[in-house]
Amino acid sequence: MSYTTTVNDPAHHDHTPTGWRRWLLSTNHKDIGTLYLLFALAMLFMGGASAMLIRAELFQPGIQLLDPDLYNNLVTNHALLMIFGAVMPAAAGLANWMIPLMIGAPDMALPRMNNLSFWILPAAGTMLILSFVVPFFPGGGTQINTGWTLYPPLSVQVGMSMDFLIFAIHLLGISSVLASINIIVTLLNMRAPGMTIMKMPIFCWTWLVTAFLLILVVPVLAGGVTMLLFDRHFGTSFFDAAGGGDPVLFQHLFWFFGHPEVYVLLLPSIGVLSHVIPTFARKPLFGYKSMVGAMIAVGTIGMVVWAHHQYTIGMSLGAVTYFMVGTIIISIPVGLMIFNFIATMWRGAMTFETPMLFAVAIILMFTFGGLSGVMLAVVPADMQYHDSMFVVAHFHYVLMPGAVFGLFAGVFYWLPKWTGHMYDERLAKIFFWINVIGFNLTFFPQHFLGLAGMPRRIIDYNVMFTEFNAISSIGAMIFGFSHLLFLYIIIKTIRGGEPATSRVWEGAKGLEWEVASPPPFHTWESPPKIGKEVA
Amino acid sequence: MNRQQDDLKRRNIRLALLFGGFALLVFATSFPFWQNIFKVLGSATR
C-alpha cells in the first residue's frame, strides 16, 4: 500500500557522528539496523559452516569426520545460531532500517533502548559460541547433544556448556523483548499524521504481529530454561520424574515458545514480499485488509497449536485431535496470503529483478513446505514421520524460503536505498540460481530419506540411504558456498556502483522511497503529511 | 524540545513500561514456576 506525501524530508542539520562512538553509542535507527544486519550476516556464516560440517559427515555412511557428541553439538549450534543469531537479528535489522522510514518517524520510539537491544546480542552470541567451544577445554564437561529443543533429562545431565547456553537464551530473550516493545511503541505512537493503522505498510503490520508474539512467548521460554537451571543446580525437580516432576512439562513450555517462533521467523519475510511483489508486478497489493486479518489469524492460531510437535509423547485422543485440527486450520490464512500474492501478480506488468525472483521462488517452495506440514499435522501419519529426515526437509522448506529467502529479497530490494548504489544485477541473479538449485538439491532428497526411515540427529545411517545423502551433501556444499557470492555482492554494492535514485524501482510506492538514496543521517524530522491513498 | 515532543516521549515510555510489565507477568505466571518453588521450599523445611 502506498501514499502520496505533501511535505518531504527537509534533511537539514545532518551531522553524522564518526569513529567507534557512532556505532557503540548509536541511537540512530539506520546505524542500529546496519549493526543488526552485519551481526546476522556473521552468524549466518557460522551457522552455515556448522551445517556444512554436518552434511560433510553425512556424505557417506559410517563415521568419518566427527564423533556422535560433536555431531549433535553441531546440530544444536546450527539451529540456535541460525534462528537466534541470523534470522531474528536480520529481520530486526530490516525493521530498524525501514519502519521509521515507512511510517514517517524520525527514529524508533526509544532510541537508547534500541541501542541496548542490539548490544546485548554480541554478548549473547559470545555465550552461544562459548557453549559450543567450552567442552573442548579441560574440565569443560560434556557437549550439548540435545538439539535446540534442550529436552530434559538429557539437558540436565549435560556439562557446564548448558549453563552458557541458558545464559545466552536469557540474553537473547531480553534483547528480543526489548526490541519488540520498541517496535510496538514506534508503530502505535510514532506514525506520521494521517497514517491510520489500516494505512500502515504491510511490512509494519507483520512486525506488529511478530512483536506481540515475541512478548507473549519469549518469557515462557525464559521461564522454562530458568526451571532447567534450577533443576541443574538448585536441587529442584521440575522436570525430574524421580522427584515428582515431569519432563513433558518442559516440552510444553518449549513448544509454546517454539511454534510461534516459526511465525516470528516467517512473518517479517511475508512483509517483505508484500512490498516486493506489488513493486515488480506494478500493481497494488491484492487484499490489504485480508492480509492483515490473515497474519493476525496466523499469529493467534499459531499460539495455540504447539503440541503438534509432541504427538508421540502420548496425549489423549481429544488433545491430539484438537492440536491436529488447529494446525491444519492455519493453512487457511497462510493459503490466503499466498492467494493474495498470486492475485497481485495476475495480469501485472511483471519484471524479474532479483528480489522478484526470490519472491516467486518463495511462493513455490514455501507452499511445498506448507504441504508437507499438513502431512505432518495428521496424527497417524506423524507417528511415522516423527524424528525422521522428512521433518528436517519439511522445516527447511518452510524456513529457508519462508524466512531466509524473504530476507534475501528484502536485502536486494532495499540495498540500493541503504547504500545509494545499485547492486550488480547479473551477479545477484547468478547467486539466486545457484542458491535455489543448491537448496533444492540439499533438501528435496531428504523427503525420500525420511519416508524410507532415516532418523534425524544420528551421525551414521544405513547404506541403503547412501545415494540420496550424497546428493544432499553435494547440494549443501553448493548452497553453502553460494553465500560467499552474496557477501561479495553486498561488499561490491557498498563500495560503489551505479548511483541509485530515491525511488530505485519504477513500481515502488511508499514513504521510504521519498527520501534520498542513501537517506540522510536524520530523516523525517518534520513528519510528512499523508495525502490521499494512491494504491 | 517542545511540549509536544515531551508529551510523545512520556507516552512512549508509558507504553513501553506497560508492555515490559506484561512480559514480566507472562514470565511469572505462564507456568507452575512459583508453585513448585513453594513446594520445594515446603519440603526443605520439613
Side-chain angles (χ1 to χ4, degrees):
Chain A
M1 185 164 280
S2 46
Y3 311 91
T4 56
T5 57
T6 51
V7 176
N8 207 340
D9 181 26
H12 63 278
H13 104 89
D14 195 40
H15 55 85
T16 308
T18 52
W20 61 270
R21 281 191 177 82
R22 171 173 177 181
W23 303 102
L24 190 65
L25 309 177
S26 179
T27 52
N28 182 286
H29 72 98
K30 302 179 194 80
D31 282 357
I32 294 174
T34 304
L35 287 170
Y36 266 114
L37 289 168
L38 291 176
F39 178 83
L41 197 60
M43 291 290 150
L44 179 78
F45 278 94
M46 285 192 213
S50 54
M52 287 167 80
L53 276 171
I54 292 166
R55 278 314 322 172
E57 172 58 52
L58 292 177
F59 181 66
Q60 284 185 322
I63 298 174
Q64 278 81 230
L65 305 169
L66 313 168
D67 63 70
D69 270 344
L70 177 56
Y71 176 85
N72 280 326
N73 197 1
L74 281 167
V75 169
T76 311
N77 208 254
H78 164 70
L80 293 168
L81 282 173
M82 285 303 193
I83 292 167
F84 291 107
V87 177
M88 285 172 74
L94 295 186
N96 260 284
W97 248 105
M98 301 316 298
I99 286 176
L101 291 181
M102 284 177 160
I103 62 171
D107 208 307
M108 298 297 279
L110 302 140
R112 289 191 184 94
M113 195 166 89
N114 203 17
N115 175 291
L116 180 66
S117 304
F118 173 75
W119 281 110
I120 288 173
L121 270 187
T126 307
M127 286 293 140
L128 196 58
I129 292 162
L130 278 176
S131 76
F132 175 76
V133 173
V134 157
F136 295 104
F137 289 90
T142 53
Q143 307 202 42
I144 302 180
N145 48 10
T146 59
W148 85 294
T149 50
L150 313 177
Y151 283 176
L154 193 54
S155 55
V156 178
Q157 295 155 5
V158 168
M160 70 160 87
S161 48
M162 182 57 76
D163 302 320
F164 283 87
L165 184 55
I166 290 172
F167 189 34
I169 289 173
H170 276 132
L171 289 176
L172 290 161
I174 292 167
S175 169
S176 294
V177 169
L178 292 181
S180 300
I181 290 171
N182 211 347
I183 287 169
I184 293 173
V185 176
T186 305
L187 290 171
L188 295 184
N189 282 358
M190 303 282 286
R191 295 191 311 275
M195 184 179 279
T196 60
I197 199 144
M198 288 310 286
K199 281 184 181 172
M200 217 164 54
I202 288 281
F203 180 72
C204 300
W205 259 111
T206 53
W207 251 109
L208 188 62
V209 176
T210 302
F212 269 109
L213 278 180
L214 279 168
I215 288 179
L216 283 165
V217 301
V218 166
V220 178
L221 176 70
V225 295
T226 305
M227 292 157 87
L228 200 58
L229 195 69
F230 273 59
D231 272 12
R232 287 171 57 80
H233 295 293
F234 304 116
T236 57
S237 303
F238 294 116
F239 309 127
D240 181 6
D246 190 349
V248 174
L249 172 65
F250 182 84
Q251 296 187 18
H252 283 288
L253 291 170
F254 180 84
W255 285 113
F256 185 80
F257 151 82
H259 191 66
E261 175 68 12
V262 174
Y263 302 107
V264 165
L265 302 174
L266 290 177
L267 284 174
S269 292
I270 296 282
V272 171
L273 286 201
S274 305
H275 291 264
V276 167
I277 292 174
T279 296
F280 295 102
R282 292 163 181 80
K283 275 177 67 189
L285 181 70
F286 181 89
Y288 173 92
K289 285 180 185 165
S290 65
M291 281 298 279
V292 172
M295 70 184 69
I296 292 171
V298 164
T300 311
I301 305 168
M303 280 202 58
V304 291
V305 294
W306 71 91
H308 62 226
H309 295 268
Q310 311 161 231
Y311 285 150
T312 52
I313 60 168
M315 284 182 280
S316 70
L317 185 62
V320 290
T321 308
Y322 160 74
F323 283 112
M324 177 174 75
V325 173
T327 306
I328 294 172
I329 285 175
I330 293 189
S331 58
I332 297 170
V334 173
L336 183 70
M337 289 177 185
I338 300 293
F339 175 82
N340 284 357
F341 289 144
I342 294 169
T344 306
M345 288 194 274
W346 181 253
R347 291 185 174 171
M350 285 198 286
T351 51
F352 292 94
E353 286 84 349
T354 309
M356 187 63 163
L357 284 177
F358 272 110
V360 174
I362 291 164
I363 289 173
L364 291 171
M365 293 188 298
F366 175 66
T367 306
F368 186 80
L371 289 173
S372 58
V374 175
M375 290 168 73
L376 285 163
V378 178
V379 181
D382 182 75
M383 297 289 174
Q384 302 298 314
Y385 309 144
H386 187 83
D387 254 345
S388 74
M389 291 300 281
F390 186 83
V391 179
V392 179
H394 155 71
F395 70 71
H396 279 95
Y397 262 90
V398 170
L399 288 178
M400 271 307 297
V404 181
F405 285 3
L407 296 170
F408 286 158
V411 167
F412 284 115
Y413 185 54
W414 286 313
L415 197 59
K417 170 59 63 188
W418 301 336
T419 62
H421 304 128
M422 296 304 289
Y423 60 84
D424 188 328
E425 189 64 56
R426 191 180 63 89
L427 279 184
K429 280 184 176 162
I430 292 171
F431 165 68
F432 166 80
W433 284 110
I434 298 176
N435 200 255
V436 166
I437 291 168
F439 166 78
N440 282 288
L441 215 50
T442 310
F443 293 106
F444 197 71
Q446 293 180 10
H447 290 98
F448 304 118
L449 289 170
L451 290 175
M454 180 177 163
R456 63 190 284 212
R457 291 176 173 166
I458 293 178
I459 190 170
D460 195 6
Y461 54 83
N462 193 296
V463 286
M464 68 184 273
F465 302 125
T466 306
E467 286 80 8
F468 278 134
N469 267 299
I471 295 168
S472 181
S473 292
I474 292 166
M477 297 305 142
I478 297 170
F479 185 53
F481 284 117
S482 75
H483 293 87
L484 292 173
L485 183 57
F486 177 63
L487 183 66
Y488 174 73
I489 295 165
I490 290 174
I491 293 170
K492 193 176 173 213
T493 313
I494 293 169
R495 289 167 67 93
E498 190 191 326
T501 59
S502 61
R503 187 156 297 277
V504 182
W505 310 107
E506 184 197 355
K509 296 208 170 85
L511 286 179
E512 71 272 30
W513 306 108
E514 303 292 326
V515 296
S517 302
F521 194 66
H522 298 287
T523 38
W524 302 129
E525 287 178 289
S526 310
K529 287 180 188 151
I530 309 301
K532 74 176 173 66
E533 196 179 314
V534 177
Chain B
M1 193 179 279
N2 61 34
R3 226 183 101 197
Q4 206 179 358
Q5 281 176 312
D6 271 342
D7 187 47
L8 180 63
K9 200 174 162 186
R10 242 192 319 274
R11 279 198 299 138
N12 287 345
I13 292 170
R14 203 163 50 214
L15 195 58
L17 285 173
L18 190 75
F19 281 113
F22 179 67
L24 284 175
L25 187 74
V26 175
F27 175 74
T29 60
S30 65
F31 50 87
F33 180 69
W34 302 114
Q35 187 192 336
N36 281 283
I37 287 280
F38 286 128
K39 205 189 288 178
V40 170
L41 288 174
S43 59
T45 53
R46 244 179 272 131

